[in-house]
Amino acid sequence: ELHFSKEENVLFPAVETATGSTAGPTQVMRMEHIQMRSLFEEMNQALESNNNDEYLGLCETLHILMQQHNMKEEQILYPMADNHITSESEQIISKMQDM
């Protein structure tokens, strides 16, 4: 959750301001954060009801989603941020570290 919050509250707005676009990679990342939060909630429910098979299936789904998400971050979002956010990069990193 902390990772999501850092991105959603600090990094994404900075990228969107720098690029002038709220559509594209940041929108996709937000949607995937919502999907992962939902999976976490479903996993908690499966644990509470002792449904091991459901829990393990959700874990596998989350693992695949996180792998895809991380690849998009590393190959698309972070390079985009590096290319568009130059002058405030240290401020952004500091804000994220303070969270």
Side-chain angles (χ1 to χ4, degrees), residues 21-57:
S21 175
T22 57
T26 55
Q27 183 180 29
V28 171
M29 295 292 112
R30 281 189 179 97
M31 290 185 333
E32 290 178 356
H33 288 177
I34 291 168
Q35 289 175 316
M36 285 186 267
R37 284 181 176 115
S38 177
L39 283 168
F40 290 135
E41 190 60 39
E42 291 178 53
M43 289 167 64
N44 282 331
Q45 291 172 3
L47 280 176
E48 289 173 3
S49 63
N50 292 318
N51 189 337
N52 295 334
D53 291 337
E54 178 74 10
Y55 178 79
L56 292 173

Side-chain angles (χ1 to χ4, degrees), residues 35-82:
Q35 289 175 316
M36 285 186 267
R37 284 181 176 115
S38 177
L39 283 168
F40 290 135
E41 190 60 39
E42 291 178 53
M43 289 167 64
N44 282 331
Q45 291 172 3
L47 280 176
E48 289 173 3
S49 63
N50 292 318
N51 189 337
N52 295 334
D53 291 337
E54 178 74 10
Y55 178 79
L56 292 173
L58 292 165
C59 285
E60 187 174 342
T61 300
L62 177 64
H63 183 243
I64 292 167
L65 180 58
M66 288 179 80
Q67 286 178 317
Q68 293 171 347
H69 181 83
N70 290 341
M71 194 177 334
K72 290 174 200 167
E73 284 180 335
E74 292 170 14
Q75 293 180 356
I76 299 168
L77 180 68
Y78 297 156
M80 178 187 286
D82 286 342

